[in-house]
């Protein structure tokens, strides 16, 4: 987002980061949320999924009540004990196991996402069913008939209407060192700098692949902060994996796990994220430190994003580890997330916004926003684990180290 100080001007200079230490560890490929939930299912066959309720409790869906203690042990073993919150754990009944729902989603996704007007598929842990998101009632009727032809049990799937999630891009002001949440410009578009990152010993930053000159593939796109001028060069595209087709990718589309690209930093950069007082107030109210990251996300959690157009806003994760079509493009993303709110929280130019949990003055990195929709207002983002794995990076965190 274009972040301006109240009254204009430029930011007070932050201290420059020291040289990056050699020998930074590369990332390891991590399980997606659904892969982790399947591992829990392998231990507890009646496990139906999990989500967080409004009180912050972890809700575990079970087909059989007596499996509760075993489910808690399996969740702690797979996700780590921090997945069991201090607010407590409660149980809710499940008609279907997570494993059976995931198998159904994987079976129908290549077919239904190849239809124009289909937005996403997801295993809805909260609703204990597979959900197909479509743009309008006409598409809904068409997909219902298609699911019937595929022999899908009606009680295992729900078709819901939602707006298409469109890539975002548009305008605003200049800072050095650069940080997450600030406006950048690449040829022909405005976007948002996601977060500083390390690739081996190369210091740089992450933003969306669709913010480069060619989405997927490296053509050395240059990014400027805040606008295009030789003196404003912020970074040069270094890594942007190609999209692929075939296999589980829907017919006529090309797929990746994240909409992300890594840029080598060509100016000073700090492990911070700019924050604003709220939606569409673009004055920088604070600089959030980035002490750590999270690779575990679930329905019901509240995430924040800072974008150059709409500022700092939040949403509740409604769809977790969904397979999502990017509206108006041939691109599809595996295991991405959609967060919703009752008010507008994403607009053109917010592409590349860092997505994070807010903890006091700290931002716990969680992902990278790439699209937004309305009715209800929502934004789509790629989880951090997918961004790390595809780009071979780790976030550049407080203490000038990788995390």
């Amino acid at each position: 987002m274009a972040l301006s100080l109240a009254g204009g001007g430029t930011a007070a200079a932050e201290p420059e980061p020291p040289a990056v230490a050699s020998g930074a560890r590369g990332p390891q490929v991590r399980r997606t949320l659904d892969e982790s939930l399947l591992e829990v299912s392998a231990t507890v066959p009646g496990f139906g999924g999990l989500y967080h309720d409004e009180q912050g409790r972890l809700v575990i869906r079970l087909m059989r009540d007596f499996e509760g203690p075993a489910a808690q042990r399996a969740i702690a073993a797979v996700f780590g004990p921090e997945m069991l919150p201090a607010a407590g754990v409660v149980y809710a009944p499940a008609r279907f196991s997570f494993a059976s729902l995931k198998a159904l989603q994987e079976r129908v996704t290549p077919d239904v996402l190849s239809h124009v007007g289909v937005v996403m598929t997801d295993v809805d842990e909260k609703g204990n069913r597979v959900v197909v998101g479509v743009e309008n009632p006409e598409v809904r009727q068409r997909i219902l008939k298609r699911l019937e032809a595929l022999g899908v049990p009606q009680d295992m799937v729900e078709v819901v209407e939602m707006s298409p999630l469109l890539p975002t891009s548009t305008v605003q002001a200049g800072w050095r060192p650069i940080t997450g949440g600030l406006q950048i410009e690449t040829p022909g578009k405005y976007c948002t700098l996601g977060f500083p990152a390390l690739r081996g010993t190369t210091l740089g930053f992450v933003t969306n692949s669709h913010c480069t000159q060619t989405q997927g593939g490296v053509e050395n796109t240059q990014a400027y902060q805040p606008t295009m001028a030789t003196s404003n060069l912020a970074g040069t595209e270094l890594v942007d994996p190609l999209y692929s087709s075939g296999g589980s990718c829907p017919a006529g589309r090309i797929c990746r796990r994240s909409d992300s690209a890594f840029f080598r930093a060509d100016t000073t950069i700090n492990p911070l994220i700019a924050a604003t007082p709220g939606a569409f107030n673009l004055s920088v109210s604070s600089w959030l430190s980035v002490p750590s990251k999270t690779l575990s996300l679930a329905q019901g959690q509240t995430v924040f994003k800072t974008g150059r157009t709409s500022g700092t806003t939040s949403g509740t994760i409604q769809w977790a580890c969904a397979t999502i079509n990017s509206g108006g493009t041939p691109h599809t993303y595996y295991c991405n997330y959609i967060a919703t709110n009752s008010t507008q929280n994403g607009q053109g130019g917010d592409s590349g916004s860092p997505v994070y949990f807010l903890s006091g003055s700290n931002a716990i990195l969680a992902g990278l926003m790439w699209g937004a929709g309305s009715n209800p207002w929502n934004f789509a983002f790629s989880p951090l684990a997918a961004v790390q794995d595809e780009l071979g990076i780790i976030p550049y965190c407080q203490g000038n180290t990788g995390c």
Side-chain angles (χ1 to χ4, degrees):
M1 84 190 144
L3 295 174
S4 306
L5 290 174
T10 56
E14 297 281 348
E16 293 189 13
V20 178
S22 62
R25 292 178 298 170
Q28 296 178 340
V29 175
R30 295 171 177 82
R31 294 168 299 202
T32 66
L33 169 65
D34 284 3
E35 288 169 342
S36 297
L37 294 175
L38 285 173
E39 190 169 338
V40 176
S41 293
T43 303
V44 185
F47 172 69
L50 55 80
Y51 62 94
H52 293 264
D53 65 14
E54 294 179 354
Q55 287 75 47
R57 300 175 300 183
L58 184 68
V59 182
I60 303 175
R61 281 200 173 274
L62 296 169
M63 298 178 71
R64 297 173 286 273
D65 290 343
F66 67 82
E67 290 184 317
Q72 287 200 52
R73 290 192 297 271
I75 290 166
V78 171
F79 290 95
E82 64 275 8
M83 194 63 170
L84 304 176
V89 174
V90 295
Y91 304 129
R95 287 192 62 193
F96 308 106
S97 70
F98 180 83
S100 65
L101 292 172
K102 185 61 182 176
L104 177 60
Q105 187 217 8
E106 290 182 341
R107 179 165 75 87
V108 304
T109 291
D111 187 296
V112 299
L113 278 189
S114 67
H115 292 260
V116 175
V118 178
V119 179
M120 65 139 211
T121 67
D122 186 31
V123 176
D124 177 12
E125 294 92 341
K126 194 171 185 178
N128 194 224
R129 59 177 59 86
V130 172
V131 169
V132 179
V134 298
E135 294 182 13
N136 55 55
E138 291 76 19
V139 179
R140 183 175 184 275
Q141 291 304 312
R142 191 164 69 245
I143 293 303
L144 285 171
K145 291 180 180 178
R146 183 58 189 156
L147 291 171
E148 182 180 2
L150 292 171
V152 175
Q154 292 184 5
D155 55 352
M156 290 187 72
V157 66
E158 181 180 9
V159 181
V160 301
E161 294 176 29
M162 61 192 303
S163 64
L165 292 153
L166 304 172
T168 52
S169 237
T170 319
V171 207
Q172 249 133 14
W175 304 79
R176 290 297 181 273
I178 57 175
T179 73
L182 297 177
Q183 172 176 293
I184 56 175
E185 184 182 9
T186 57
K189 62 196 75 175
Y190 289 96
C191 284
T192 300
L193 191 156
F195 56 86
L198 286 165
R199 190 172 194 273
T201 57
T202 301
L203 181 59
F205 59 85
V206 174
T207 190
N208 286 153
S209 173
H210 79 254
C211 292
T212 66
Q213 288 174 278
T214 302
Q215 187 169 355
V218 176
E219 64 289 330
N220 301 312
T221 299
Q222 292 187 316
Y224 300 81
Q225 203 290 313
T227 55
M228 290 181 65
T230 301
S231 60
N232 290 342
L233 181 62
T236 302
E237 178 191 12
L238 201 62
V239 184
D240 185 5
L242 293 169
Y243 288 69
S244 62
S245 59
S248 60
C249 189
R253 302 191 67 82
I254 51 177
C255 298
R256 268 183 55 180
R257 293 177 59 202
S258 72
D259 184 347
S260 64
F262 175 72
F263 284 67
R264 179 193 70 234
D266 291 321
T267 186
T268 53
I269 189 168
N270 267 354
L272 302 170
I273 290 176
T276 76
F280 300 98
N281 183 335
L282 301 184
S283 297
V284 175
S285 57
S286 64
W287 299 96
L288 302 175
S289 297
V290 183
S292 61
K293 65 188 178 186
T294 181
L295 302 177
S296 297
L297 301 168
Q299 281 181 307
Q301 293 179 295
T302 298
V303 290
F304 291 77
K305 76 102 185 68
T306 299
R308 55 80 58 199
T309 302
S310 61
T312 299
T313 61
S314 65
T316 300
I317 296 176
Q318 183 176 10
W319 310 113
C321 202
T323 305
I324 307 173
N325 283 346
S326 174
T329 81
H331 305 102
T332 295
Y333 299 100
Y334 300 123
C335 194
N336 274 221
Y337 292 69
I338 301 173
T340 65
N341 204 328
S342 58
T343 57
Q344 191 167 0
N345 55 17
Q347 273 199 346
D350 287 336
S351 287
S353 296
V355 176
Y356 52 89
F357 291 114
L358 188 60
S359 177
S361 60
N362 292 330
I364 313 304
L365 280 177
L368 194 70
M369 176 184 164
W370 58 261
S374 59
N375 193 30
W377 298 110
N378 53 40
F379 61 86
F381 66 96
S382 300
L384 183 59
V387 175
Q388 287 190 169
D389 294 345
E390 286 198 324
L391 300 183
I393 60 96
I394 52 177
Y396 181 58
C397 292
Q398 196 169 3
N400 303 313
T401 61
C403 68

